[in-house]
Amino acid sequence: MPSGSIETGRHRGAIGLLLVALLATLGGCDDSLVVCPAIAVAGLDVQVLNNTTSQPICDATVTAVEGTISERLVESACRYQGAFERPGTYTVRAERVGFAPLELSGVRVLMNTEACPHVETVTVILRLLPRP
């Protein structure tokens, strides 16, 4: 390996350490420095239950509609999540074969006003009635 590439690597490492030290020093002097995690927060967390047994329904189709945007929510551990970092007023609908579909309108997802702004997650519980 040419010695130039080794030297370049050493310089980059030294510059990186210098930047980290500088940022740490600035953080100690200025209490307003906030480091926000790079995550996407779900605005909707929906649980779908069998109204008769109160058992979770893990294979429903759950959608959220806001204006012209329609989104199928992602299922994980029998909960459905969506509207990631998207405030708005939603209509949430759940359906599954063997159950009457259910729709809930006017579900508001708000943006919080903290130092690291993310949506505030709204939990919605939909209880589906079994069809005879």
Side-chain angles (χ1 to χ4, degrees), residues 20-42:
V20 170
L22 179 61
L23 288 174
T25 303
L26 289 176
C29 296
D30 183 7
D31 290 336
S32 66
L33 180 65
V34 176
V35 178
C36 295
I39 59 171
V41 175

Side-chain angles (χ1 to χ4, degrees), residues 28-104:
C29 296
D30 183 7
D31 290 336
S32 66
L33 180 65
V34 176
V35 178
C36 295
I39 59 171
V41 175
L44 295 170
D45 176 38
V46 180
Q47 188 174 15
V48 181
L49 302 176
N50 179 322
N51 191 55
T52 304
T53 65
S54 294
Q55 294 298 310
I57 298 175
C58 300
D59 54 353
T61 299
V62 181
T63 54
V65 177
E66 188 222 10
T68 60
I69 298 173
S70 180
E71 172 187 5
R72 183 172 178 173
L73 276 59
V74 178
E75 188 269 331
S76 176
C78 289
R79 293 184 87 93
Y80 303 84
Q81 295 185 330
F84 288 88
E85 299 297 353
R86 213 172 59 244
T89 302
Y90 292 87
T91 298
V92 181
R93 178 182 175 89
E95 53 190 307
R96 183 180 181 277
V97 173
F99 292 86
L102 183 62
E103 190 171 277
L104 180 63

Side-chain angles (χ1 to χ4, degrees), residues 85-88 109-114 116-120:
E85 299 297 353
R86 213 172 59 244
V109 174
L110 302 173
M111 185 66 77
N112 72 33
T113 57
E114 297 176 10
C116 293
H118 291 288
V119 293
E120 296 177 5

